[in-house]
Amino acid sequence: MDDAGRFIAGLPKAELHIHIEGSLELRFGSIEALRAAYRFANLQDFLDLYYEGMRVLLHEQDFHDLAMAYFRKAAAQNVRHAEIFFDPQGHTGRGVGFKTVIDGLSRAQADAERQFGVTSALILCFLRHLDEADAERTLDAALPWRDRFIGVGLDSSEKGHPPSKFERVFARARGLGLHAVAHAGEEGPAEYVREALDLLKVERIDHGNRALDDAELILRLAREQVPLTVCPLSNLRLCVVPDLEDHPLRRMLRAGLVATINSDDPAYFGGYINENLAALSLGREEMMTVARNGFRAAFLDDATKERHLKVLDAYGLSGA
Ligand code: ADE
Ligand code: ZN
């Protein structure tokens, strides 16, 4: 491992954009078969395989084991806190009950905190290719477990499914005291980022790359310090950026945006959080900024954030 690799490995991190179903390591007959299956032309191309992969998740234990495998990797990469997306409609639509999903994930969260000291929280994502009534029913089905998740998100096929489609269900979720985030500006236009802010009233934007197409929006994101959860290897693999040399994250940092680095779907895109951090060849100061942004943008109370930030700053000063 080189110097930068060692620095990244030891850096205390928060991960804020990880789909637990995207950490599912599928088995292929050969490495060539795997490589061929994981060559994606766009977001939909990936999602087709992602939803197919989920079909192996049937029992409470499957969801537990899936999450534990992620927590083990995350802990080994010095992730101290993770806010994890899950897609209940990907399971309830196949006849797997919400209770099965949430019980398995919650049990893994408790085990991970005890075994690895990694804290975590769950964010329930609505699938945007389905209609709002389906999202409303999903929120209804989740309410008996309201205390098990901290927020709602919006994911799946972005183009043609603007945030405006989900204005009512997000308003209801916020009324229940849930946090709100949404994928926006991954493949879709800057206008979807604006809609997510104005109509869904989200507190963070997942991805947000395309916001850079809009000078006024950049100024707003900087002024309001809206965190962006950026996923470099995902962007490369889904062909939403041409290459990593010119990845938008550097421009985001220069514009004063609260950009964070995350893995999205690590099993599919060739890396967990450390590989994503390493992929951009950032300097140490930039890496410290990104790591600080992760804790700042987390849905943690101020005292807990301060505790994490102190540990992080001590690490930065030690020059490890
Ligand atoms: N679901 C899982 N990963 C996703 C991504 N990168 N964009 C939208 N939906 C997703
Ligand atoms: Zn995502």
Side-chain angles (χ1 to χ4, degrees):
M1 204 187 284
D2 63 7
D3 260 9
R6 270 190 297 277
F7 185 76
I8 290 168
L11 195 61
K13 288 167 284 272
E15 178 150 57
L16 306 178
H17 186 159
I18 155 82
H19 301 263
I20 201 62
E21 296 90 347
S23 69
L24 180 67
E25 310 261 355
L26 297 176
R27 309 219 175 283
F28 282 86
S30 68
I31 196 82
E32 292 77 23
L34 180 142
R35 286 216 181 97
Y38 284 19
R39 206 169 292 135
F40 307 114
N42 52 44
L43 174 58
Q44 192 59 50
D45 204 19
F46 153 69
L47 289 170
D48 293 343
L49 187 68
Y50 172 81
Y51 294 119
E52 194 182 312
M54 280 184 200
R55 293 192 310 193
V56 302
L57 301 168
L58 295 171
H59 307 292
E60 190 260 9
Q61 189 69 37
D62 299 333
F63 291 92
H64 172 272
D65 294 351
L66 172 72
M68 275 316 272
Y70 165 71
F71 282 125
R72 196 168 289 114
K73 292 226 175 63
Q77 294 204 346
N78 214 13
V79 170
R80 302 288 177 93
H81 176 72
E83 296 182 0
I84 299 176
F85 294 136
F86 69 115
D87 284 337
Q89 289 154 295
H91 311 300
T92 53
R94 305 178 285 114
V96 175
F98 188 88
K99 175 178 164 53
T100 303
V101 179
I102 198 88
D103 279 350
L105 297 179
S106 314
R107 187 158 62 85
Q109 287 181 272
D111 288 351
E113 184 157 358
R114 206 170 38 244
Q115 284 183 38
F116 309 127
V118 178
T119 61
S120 62
L122 297 175
I123 297 177
L124 184 165
C125 279
F126 301 119
L127 299 182
R128 70 201 306 159
H129 67 275
L130 301 177
D131 61 23
E132 188 175 40
D134 208 300
E136 293 277 14
R137 285 192 293 274
T138 302
L139 185 56
D140 290 336
L143 286 186
W145 295 273
R146 161 68 185 84
D147 59 331
R148 305 267 195 100
F149 56 100
I150 60 161
V152 295
L154 188 64
D155 65 359
S156 194
S157 321
E158 187 179 8
K159 283 184 185 162
H161 302 285
S164 55
K165 190 177 154 186
F166 297 92
E167 196 172 343
R168 280 149 298 224
V169 72
F170 266 69
R172 183 156 73 98
R174 291 196 322 274
L176 292 163
L178 290 160
H179 289 290
V181 300
H183 283 54
E186 181 184 17
E187 271 191 349
E191 185 53 29
Y192 284 15
V193 174
R194 197 174 276 118
E195 276 193 15
L197 295 170
D198 291 336
L199 304 181
L200 305 188
K201 306 198 190 312
V202 299
E203 297 155 79
R204 299 196 297 241
I205 294 285
D206 298 311
H207 296 293
N209 297 341
R210 296 283 304 277
L212 295 184
D213 299 344
D214 183 325
E216 196 190 329
L217 185 56
I218 298 171
L219 292 175
R220 175 179 178 186
L221 292 170
R223 191 172 60 243
E224 298 179 7
Q225 292 286 282
V226 179
L228 307 177
T229 64
V230 180
C231 308
L233 292 175
S234 164
N235 295 158
L236 183 70
R237 294 295 191 95
L238 300 184
C239 309
V240 302
V241 301
D243 57 59
L244 290 176
E245 281 68 56
D246 193 32
H247 189 279
L249 182 111
R250 291 186 195 82
R251 263 169 289 152
M252 290 172 178
L253 293 180
R254 279 200 299 273
L257 308 191
V258 186
T260 67
I261 291 187
N262 310 270
S263 69
D264 206 5
D265 300 284
Y268 291 90
F269 302 145
Y272 284 75
I273 192 167
N274 286 355
E275 289 79 16
N276 274 275
L277 270 159
L280 293 184
S281 312
L282 301 175
R284 286 202 181 184
E285 261 322 303
E286 287 171 314
M287 284 195 270
M288 286 296 293
T289 299
V290 164
R292 257 186 225 115
N293 288 347
F295 289 112
R296 278 177 64 197
F299 295 132
L300 290 169
D301 62 68
D302 287 344
T304 308
K305 285 189 195 187
E306 281 309 316
R307 191 164 45 72
H308 283 296
L309 288 168
K310 261 200 179 139
V311 174
L312 174 61
D313 283 337
Y315 178 79
L317 287 174
S318 78

